[in-house]
Amino acid sequence: TQLLEQSPQFLSIQEGENLTVYCNSSSVFSSLQWYRQEPGEGPVLLVTVVTGGEVKKLKRLTFQFGDARKDSSLHITAAQPGDTGLYLCAVAGAGGTSYGKLTFGQGTILTVHP
Amino acid sequence: GAVVSQHPSWVICKSGTSVKIECRSLDFQATTMFWYRQFPKQSLMLMATSNEGSKATYEQGVEKDKFLINHASLTLSTLTVTSAHPEDSSFYICSARESDSLNTEAFFGQGTRLTVV
């Protein structure tokens, strides 16, 4: 059973369109992270959400943490070809040496066509 | 910001040989580093937790005798894929978190593409 269910797995859209990626779980988390990964590179942290109901914005990206801290979403407004990549949600281990140990969702491969 | 460097970025080896991948934290000390494997168009799967000065902790299903991890200093962890086979071809990524920090953020290396022929 996957701890984090991420959807959709693939998304192919035209430049200028909006999109939303979802990350759901039956577990409650103290925080959740979103990463973006380009081919041949390691993931890069976009944001960490901590508080239930929290909304964070990063330019055209809007991240939301569910009120119950079980789910999160990433919304991109007016997508651009430069947004193309693999988007991953992740949660960290609870304590001790588990800090920094991440469990990832399945990932969403986003392709934005010019 | 914190930088994690992996070497090499890519490697091709013959089946049956061993390959060593290095993961270095360049501007911070890391008691703990993590090794992930990623197959094409898939997510990252944790293989093992590398602990400085002690044995690594392997995730279920990962063969510890095949994927040897050594964390001899606070800035370097190595992953050696022994007797590599084509099915070991994958993208291997390490991450590290700063020692004595309550921040859960871990910083990723750029990854190593291993191709076994």
Side-chain angles (χ1 to χ4, degrees), chain B residues 44-116:
Chain B
L44 283 74
M45 295 295 292
L46 180 68
M47 297 176 66
T49 302
S50 173
N51 305 300
E52 187 268 336
S54 64
K55 291 183 179 180
T57 305
Y58 290 82
E59 296 299 302
Q60 193 172 10
V62 178
E63 299 175 58
K64 62 180 181 181
D65 294 328
K66 181 170 183 62
F67 298 99
L68 301 179
I69 292 173
N70 184 276
H71 194 150
S73 79
L74 286 172
T75 59
L76 174 63
S77 174
T78 60
L79 168 68
T80 301
V81 183
T82 63
S83 186
H85 291 286
E87 57 265 31
D88 299 323
S89 298
S90 188
F91 194 53
Y92 292 87
I93 308 173
C94 71
S95 72
R97 61 173 295 270
E98 191 169 357
S99 300
D100 302 323
S101 171
L102 295 180
N103 189 342
T104 59
E105 181 175 2
F107 303 95
F108 285 86
Q110 71 271 40
T112 297
R113 172 75 58 194
L114 170 63
T115 303
V116 184

Side-chain angles (χ1 to χ4, degrees), chain A residues 2 10 31 33 35 37 39-45 48 86 88 92-93 96-107 109, chain B residues 31-32 34 36 38 41-46 49 51 57 59 91 93 95 97 101-111 113:
Chain A
Q2 193 80 12
F10 300 94
S31 66
Q33 299 175 341
Y35 289 82
Q37 184 185 21
E41 298 183 12
V44 174
L45 179 66
T48 301
L86 174 65
L88 297 154
T97 56
S98 291
Y99 272 130
K101 174 180 175 180
L102 295 172
T103 300
F104 288 89
Q106 301 99 317
I109 297 176
Chain B
T31 307
T32 306
F34 304 92
Y36 297 83
Q38 184 178 32
K41 297 189 177 181
Q42 293 188 23
S43 188
L44 283 74
M45 295 295 292
L46 180 68
T49 302
N51 305 300
T57 305
E59 296 299 302
F91 194 53
I93 308 173
S95 72
R97 61 173 295 270
S101 171
L102 295 180
N103 189 342
T104 59
E105 181 175 2
F107 303 95
F108 285 86
Q110 71 271 40
R113 172 75 58 194

